[in-house]
Amino acid sequence: MVGIVNKTSKTIHCSGSLISDRFVLTAAHCVDDIENNENFQLVFGADDLSVEYPLSSYREDREIKQSLKHPKHDKAKGKHYYDVGIFEIDGEDLAFSDGITPICLPKKAVYDVDSRKGDGVTLTGFGKKSKVDSAKIEDVPLRFAQLEIYAQQRCNESYASVTESVPDLFQSNIMCASYQVSIDRTFT
């Protein structure tokens, strides 16, 4: 996991996933909310962002060269559509290690998300449990949750009355997942 940290306020802004030695995959709304890349840094190899190097032996902090978001992402229409962004790492290519490795991406696209119904997935990220929680890095450990992928129809029926966040409901390019137990789990 990659922590996207505001250098001035020492708060966690978002999380991302390393996909190569140059790029971090994140959400477009994370890119939208950054007006100046110079105020943020990418933190690799840490499950606790409050522990500085060398105590966190794999930790590496890097600057952001540029940020891009999906051209069809429209924050005004709804944050959940085409919510994909990329950060390019500034400087030398990132060296992989036991603590810094890219995620595994599928070899081919999944066009029928219902074909994944019932599959288990793991959601990870640095983040608050609620909007009122602190975003200070010492208060935001790396969290995870085990989720199950649901059929599109089930999600569309569940969200039919709450269309402000997904006004066009779940389209074929959005995977729907949920959990059966509490998601308040940390790696530490």
Side-chain angles (χ1 to χ4, degrees):
M1 284 309 307
V2 180
I4 303 160
V5 177
N6 183 312
K7 294 188 292 189
T8 306
S9 66
K10 298 289 186 201
T11 55
I12 187 71
H13 174 67
C14 274
S15 298
S17 296
L18 185 63
I19 57 171
S20 77
D21 57 5
R22 302 273 332 136
F23 296 98
V24 172
L25 178 68
T26 190
H29 69 263
C30 294
V31 174
D32 277 340
D33 295 339
I34 294 179
E35 294 178 17
N36 183 349
N37 286 338
E38 293 177 7
N39 295 334
F40 293 84
Q41 67 183 4
L42 304 170
V43 180
F44 302 89
D47 61 0
D48 182 345
L49 297 176
S50 66
V51 178
E52 298 285 334
Y53 180 84
L55 294 176
S56 177
S57 58
Y58 297 115
R59 181 175 171 153
E60 188 167 343
D61 299 357
R62 298 291 287 274
E63 301 299 316
I64 298 169
K65 181 175 183 177
Q66 69 173 327
S67 53
L68 306 165
K69 64 180 181 176
H70 194 288
K72 290 186 178 179
H73 175 69
D74 183 359
K75 188 175 180 179
K77 182 174 182 183
K79 288 187 175 185
H80 299 297
Y81 298 112
Y82 303 100
D83 195 10
V84 179
I86 297 280
F87 288 111
E88 183 177 0
I89 303 166
D90 197 21
E92 296 178 15
D93 291 351
L94 190 65
F96 300 144
S97 67
D98 288 341
I100 301 175
T101 58
I103 62 168
C104 296
L105 294 171
K107 294 188 186 312
K108 62 180 187 172
V110 176
Y111 293 103
D112 177 14
V113 294
D114 278 349
S115 69
R116 301 289 309 271
K117 181 182 91 171
D119 286 358
V121 293
T122 303
L123 173 70
T124 62
F126 295 99
K128 304 183 302 181
K129 292 185 290 180
S130 72
K131 291 184 185 244
V132 297
D133 286 346
S134 168
K136 292 284 187 188
I137 57 174
E138 61 269 13
D139 297 330
V140 186
L142 181 58
R143 300 183 189 282
F144 75 98
Q146 300 299 124
L147 306 178
E148 178 184 339
I149 297 174
Y150 287 173
Q152 298 293 89
Q153 181 179 350
R154 178 177 180 180
C155 291
N156 283 333
E157 289 168 357
S158 297
Y159 279 84
S161 63
V162 201
T163 57
E164 65 272 357
S165 61
V166 280
D168 298 327
L169 295 176
F170 287 83
Q171 301 167 354
S172 62
N173 63 346
I174 299 176
M175 192 170 286
C176 177
S178 189
Y179 58 92
Q180 300 296 325
V181 296
S182 170
I183 62 170
D184 185 18
R185 300 184 198 163
T186 62
F187 286 101
T188 54

